[in-house]
Structure formats: C-alpha cells, structure tokens
Amino acid sequence: MSAIRRDPRPAAPGDVDRIIRIDVRDPAEPRPTPPGDPIPGATRVIRLSERLLDANDRRAARNRAWLQNRGIVAVNLVSAPGSGKTTLLQQTLARLEGRVRCAVLVGDLETDHDARRLHRPGVPVAQITTGSACHLDAEMIARALEALPLDGVRLLFIENVGNLVCPASFDLGENQRVVLFSCPEGEDKPLKYPPLFSSAHAVVLTKIDLAEAAGCDRIAAAANARRAAPQARLFALSARTGDGMGTWIDYLESRLLT
Amino acid sequence: MHELGIAEAALRAALREARSANARQVLRVVVRVGALSGVNAEALQFAFAAIRAGTPAAEATLDVDPVAAVGECPACASTFTANDGFFGICPRCGAMGATLQQGRELDLVQIEITAP
C-alpha cells in the first residue's frame, strides 16, 4: 500500500552519513486506482458512509452525558509507558484531598499494581485489565463506571494504557484529554505522534527534575509541544519535587463543574 | 494493533450491506482513512486479511482511500494541507489555532459485490 521512497540522490564519495529514508506512511495523494472504478464483471458498487468507530463514539457520547448529569469532569491521561502518569496522579490526588473528591479508572494489560499505588482513603479506584488490548475504549469505561461508587465525586481520572498511538482514535467520553511526555523520552516526542498530540486539550512535560541529567532541552520540548499541539494548554512539572504542580492543580480545579 | 477492531467493524458492516443486497460475494471494501485518524493503512489491511476467511468476503480486498489533514486558519481563513501532520499553525500567516477540516476520517465508503 504505502510507498517505499528512497532518497534518489546518488551517494557522494565520503558521504557516509547520508540518511536513507524509507517512508512507509500512507501517501496523502489519492491512489492511482481511485475507489469507484469497479472491478470488471457482473459486479455492483454500493456507496456507503459509515463511521467505523461509530459504536465507540456513541458509547463515548453516552458516557459524557452520564458523567455530566452527575457533575463529574473526566480527564483522560495518555502517554507512552513510563512517562509518569501514575506518579503524577498519586501527587495530584494527594493535593486535591479534602478539597475535591476524585475517582480513578486505570487501564493496564495485566496486574493491578497501579490501582494499588493509587489507592488512598476516600478515592474509589477501579483497575481495568485489558488483557491484550492496547487502549481503553468507551465500552470499558461504561462498564467500569457502573462498578465505581461515584457519590460526591467531581473529578474522574482515567489513566489510559501506556501507548501513544492507539488511544488517539478512541473517545472515552472524557472532557479533557491530557497527553504526557517525560524529559528522559526526549524533547522531540510530540513531533513523532501527531494524531495523539493534535487531539490533546493539555500537554504535560513530566520529570523536569531529570531534564539536565537526561540531556533534555526543556525550551525545545515546549516548542515541539506547541507545534504538535498548538490547541493545548502546556504544563511542565515534576511530580516528585512538586515543581510546577501548583499550576497543574489550578488548571484541574478550573475545569470543575460548579 | 487497534486496527483489528476497526477491520472487524468494516467487515461486519460490509457483510451486513452485502446480505441486504442479496450478494453472493464481497469483492472489495473501501475505507477512507484520515492522516490523523491514528490508523495505519497497512495494519488495517493485514487485520482485514486475517479475519475475512470463511465469510462471503473471503476474497475481498480492503482498499484505503487516504484523506490528508487539512486545516483552516482562524486569522486569514486560508486552508492548507498538513503533510507532516501539524495543522495547528498556519503556513501562510503563522497564526495558531487552525481548525481541522478533514483528516480524522475512518469511514466505510464503498463495497463492491457480485450482483445477485
């Protein structure tokens, strides 16, 4: 399907570090056999317009309405594995304790380690074990919402499966999609995953206490996040040292339904 | 591999349409895939090929009609194609906050069947 394009220039002598580019992205231009040219023979073409994620999108819309009726704002946290979603959540729950009642849904392929890490008095936590699924979908959220005691809860955090690709396609019914990337991952991460970053309401650069040790240029990281997600609010913080946490908490509180 | 679930949705819808048209066979399924849909066309085709066996679509190909990401600038109202996937900044005037006009599509748009 996708073209394999090689740099057509001949290699110059001594040009040892010239990069061979193999581009397996889907070409943006229409393909040479446009859909509509029927295969010859006694065939019939039926034109349709059916959204393949329609079932998920409708479920997500129901989740959103259900949550709104209960005065709950849902925040979907998405990142690569190891960017610090759980640690940020732990510190966030600690700071909101006694002020804003929270609940947590956490998705992982296996184990309930994250749910146990996040458990604290007064915060209902449900672990969604996906088995092999690489993302949460709206149906999983709907089932988890039935199981979770949500009386008085105003803020629901959904910690998605660690993955920067698949969760982009699945609306869960969240109000805010927050995409995290950490300093050790490199400042160019937002440029590598446009579908997800372009769908974010907020982008959080985490582990800024490790920036220097990891050789991460925070200014470049922020510029890249701006480029990939100009629509998003941008935060830089360290959940471990607390640096930047105040602005993040203010943002969450500003999203609450009154 | 979230493409598997999406291929299943495409196959299910194609078979349903083919049934209601009394078709013997589905020969082709065409899916529009936006550049920012988060779906990889090759993975979608791979998944479709893996699940079509034993159905009236066992011989069907899944063709992808790619849709480029196109943004519209709120400042100068120009529209532009974001080949690299970054549609938020207008290449003409540099304003931010462009809205996506197309690029997140994931639609079954056509099937081809053997006429009854």
Side-chain angles (χ1 to χ4, degrees):
Chain A
M1 279 313 297
S2 52
I4 294 187
R5 301 189 191 102
R6 286 173 205 281
D7 191 335
R9 288 171 302 165
D15 194 1
V16 285
D17 58 0
R18 193 162 66 89
I19 300 164
I20 296 171
R21 293 183 176 79
I22 300 173
D23 185 347
V24 298
R25 290 176 302 180
D26 305 321
E29 68 275 7
R31 285 150 32 72
T33 335
D37 290 359
I39 293 168
T43 67
R44 208 180 115 199
V45 169
I46 302 177
R47 294 192 192 281
L48 303 160
S49 177
E50 177 154 339
R51 285 160 55 235
L52 292 176
L53 287 172
D54 193 48
N56 185 76
D57 290 348
R58 276 185 293 140
R59 199 48 168 129
R62 283 215 297 280
N63 289 347
R64 192 173 282 114
W66 191 92
L67 288 163
Q68 188 173 352
N69 280 338
R70 284 160 184 77
I72 300 170
V73 169
V75 177
N76 180 11
L77 296 172
V78 191
S79 79
S83 299
K85 291 185 295 298
T86 311
T87 303
L88 175 60
L89 255 182
Q90 283 178 306
Q91 296 307 317
T92 302
L93 295 173
R95 282 171 188 254
L96 291 172
E97 190 163 17
R99 287 193 292 146
V100 179
R101 200 164 154 78
C102 300
V104 181
L105 295 179
V106 50
D108 277 302
L109 271 62
E110 291 294 345
T111 82
D112 60 357
H113 291 178
D114 281 359
R116 282 191 276 143
R117 275 176 67 189
L118 291 165
H119 187 266
R120 46 190 309 130
V123 179
V125 179
Q127 175 86 43
I128 303 174
T129 307
T130 63
S132 60
C134 48
H135 59 273
L136 294 176
D137 64 32
E139 183 61 36
M140 297 176 196
I141 301 303
R143 284 172 52 191
L145 288 179
E146 284 170 18
L148 209 57
L150 290 169
D151 281 350
V153 167
R154 299 180 67 201
L155 198 48
L156 171 72
F157 292 102
I158 302 168
E159 184 183 328
N160 217 310
V161 178
N163 184 331
L164 275 173
V165 182
C166 308
S169 306
F170 292 87
D171 184 5
L172 304 180
E174 73 266 32
N175 302 99
Q176 295 285 305
R177 182 178 287 188
V178 178
V179 180
L180 283 64
F181 74 112
S182 66
C183 284
E185 291 171 62
E187 56 269 343
D188 55 353
K189 202 104 195 206
L191 303 181
K192 296 175 176 172
Y193 299 90
L196 186 63
F197 279 89
S198 68
S199 73
H201 296 93
V203 172
V204 182
L205 177 64
T206 60
K207 307 188 191 183
I208 57 172
D209 54 318
L210 299 180
E212 201 179 331
C216 170
D217 177 348
R218 277 177 54 186
I219 307 291
N224 290 336
R226 274 270 157 270
R227 177 154 184 251
Q231 78 290 349
R233 292 278 304 270
L234 190 57
F235 300 91
L237 54 80
S238 164
R240 219 162 59 174
T241 66
D243 196 8
M245 283 295 289
T247 327
W248 162 247
I249 296 293
D250 289 346
Y251 156 74
L252 290 173
E253 291 192 296
S254 75
R255 310 316 303 174
L256 294 174
L257 297 171
T258 46
Chain B
M1 260 309 274
H2 63 303
E3 282 84 358
L4 179 58
I6 292 158
E8 283 170 345
L11 179 64
R12 218 170 23 244
L15 292 176
R16 185 198 64 222
E17 291 297 325
R19 233 185 350 263
S20 68
N22 292 318
R24 264 187 307 117
Q25 225 188 342
V26 180
L27 300 175
R28 180 147 83 143
V29 173
V30 182
V31 178
R32 297 188 80 203
V33 177
L36 288 175
S37 68
V39 166
N40 177 278
E42 283 188 343
L44 188 61
Q45 289 173 317
F46 179 82
F48 186 79
I51 59 172
R52 69 191 166 181
T55 75
E59 308 284 318
T61 56
L62 185 148
D63 283 348
V64 169
D65 183 15
V67 181
V70 172
E72 185 183 324
C73 177
C76 72
S78 66
T79 58
F80 55 91
T81 301
N83 286 319
D84 54 2
F86 306 120
F87 70 91
I89 300 169
C90 177
R92 188 161 150 236
C93 72
M96 299 224 277
T99 50
L100 194 65
Q101 300 296 300
Q102 57 167 63
R104 292 210 196 274
E105 292 79 359
L106 198 51
D107 305 323
L108 175 65
V109 290
Q110 183 177 312
I111 63 168
E112 219 167 291
I113 55 171
T114 50

